[in-house]
Amino acid sequence: MERPYILHMFTPGAQMSPFDINMAADAGYQILAPCCGVTLQAVTGLTQDTIFSRSPKGLARTGIFIGGRDALLASDMLARAQQALVPPFVVSMMADPSGAYTTAAAMVACVEVALLDTTGVGLAGRRVVVLGGTGPVGRIAGVIAAQAGARVGLSSRNGIDVADAAARETGARFGVTLDGVSGGDRAAVRASIAEADVLLACAAAGVQVVSAEDLAHAQVLRVVADVNAVPPAGVAGVGVMDNARPLEGVPGRGAVGIGALTIGNVKYQTQQQLLRRMHGAATPQVLSFTEAFEVARAHLAASA
């Protein structure tokens, strides 16, 4: 009798995301075992309970998924789970807290394609401003863009001190250079977008962070991506279905917009492919936002 496919799902929160549970079931896992309220310190014990209860052959049908809402904590939990493995007792594992890793990967991959299609040049050397840059999606989108060669600023509505702290913490954790940008008032927002080639709008749902009047100050803007699917748009004029549609009201050479549902479709495909990679892996996989970005890029290339 073949052993069932089991996915142990660790989250620091009170419950595991139903979205992630559904995605894992659709990827082929037969038993989903949520573990809630998991601390960083508990990860080692839970991982070793996972690996020592099955033979190395059985562990090929076993995986660990790390959720939660904290992008940095999830990365630390993934690293701690890796450290707890005792070869040949190893399993595949993946982190995607609140979908932040796959959403950020999809967002930046869509922006990269739009830049290449409209200018012939990708993210290298671009100035990227992340609005809502202290949240989980904003932080990871900033890291991915920086790893692709962009100059990235994380913006916060709570002012420059909060933005600077998030930039230092996130940059140090992932080995990239990020800077803080104030988004505390209209003047600060307009000053930040005036020099931006790319805007990544990652603010809370239903909050407009850039108005049509603000866009008039975006002198060099080329691409805007907005993950907000709840009206009003995070950036005025960006529709949820937009896929590099010209954005009105932007001076200079103009800009294109990418909407939340366009990004969401790539995010969905990316997460599903990563979960299936774990499920069908001949050798153990460790999957984070770096792998998510690779998959999102490949998906967009195949869809072109």
Side-chain angles (χ1 to χ4, degrees), residues 9 62 85 96 99 111 115 144 282 285 288:
M9 308 182 80
T62 311
L85 299 176
D96 194 19
V111 166
L115 284 170
I144 294 172
Q285 305 286 301
S288 185

Side-chain angles (χ1 to χ4, degrees), residues 201-286:
C202 305
V207 175
Q208 186 165 96
V209 288
V210 176
S211 68
E213 293 77 16
D214 296 332
L215 281 175
H217 295 262
Q219 298 295 322
V220 296
L221 188 61
R222 301 312 301 259
V223 180
V224 178
D226 184 2
V227 295
N228 176 24
V230 179
V235 176
V238 179
V240 294
M241 296 296 294
D242 288 353
N243 187 2
R245 185 180 70 84
L247 187 60
E248 296 180 3
V250 179
R253 293 167 293 179
V256 298
I258 302 170
L261 296 186
T262 295
I263 296 167
N265 177 61
V266 180
K267 176 263 189 299
Y268 175 89
Q269 297 296 334
T270 298
Q271 184 174 355
Q272 189 65 196
Q273 287 187 43
L274 290 171
L275 285 165
R276 287 175 177 167
R277 181 185 295 185
M278 278 213 305
H279 179 274
T283 57
Q285 305 286 301
V286 178

Side-chain angles (χ1 to χ4, degrees), residues 103-281:
T103 300
M107 187 182 209
V108 178
C110 286
V111 166
E112 182 180 57
V113 168
L115 284 170
L116 289 168
D117 285 349
T118 57
T119 72
V121 179
L123 285 157
R126 303 285 191 176
R127 175 59 173 172
V128 174
V129 174
V130 186
L131 304 159
T134 61
V137 174
R139 289 182 189 234
I140 299 305
V143 171
I144 294 172
Q147 289 176 338
R151 299 176 294 109
V152 179
L154 302 186
S155 177
S156 172
R157 298 177 71 198
N158 295 314
I160 190 62
D161 290 344
V162 171
D164 277 341
R168 285 194 304 271
E169 179 186 29
T170 309
R173 176 63 183 80
F174 297 113
V176 296
T177 299
L178 307 170
D179 60 84
V181 176
S182 178
D185 54 39
R186 300 305 341 142
V189 169
R190 290 174 180 181
S192 69
I193 69 175
E195 60 177 13
D197 299 293
V198 174
L199 292 181
L200 304 180
C202 305
V207 175
Q208 186 165 96
V209 288
V210 176
S211 68
E213 293 77 16
D214 296 332
L215 281 175
H217 295 262
Q219 298 295 322
V220 296
L221 188 61
R222 301 312 301 259
V223 180
V224 178
D226 184 2
V227 295
N228 176 24
V230 179
V235 176
V238 179
V240 294
M241 296 296 294
D242 288 353
N243 187 2
R245 185 180 70 84
L247 187 60
E248 296 180 3
V250 179
R253 293 167 293 179
V256 298
I258 302 170
L261 296 186
T262 295
I263 296 167
N265 177 61
V266 180
K267 176 263 189 299
Y268 175 89
Q269 297 296 334
T270 298
Q271 184 174 355
Q272 189 65 196
Q273 287 187 43
L274 290 171
L275 285 165
R276 287 175 177 167
R277 181 185 295 185
M278 278 213 305
H279 179 274

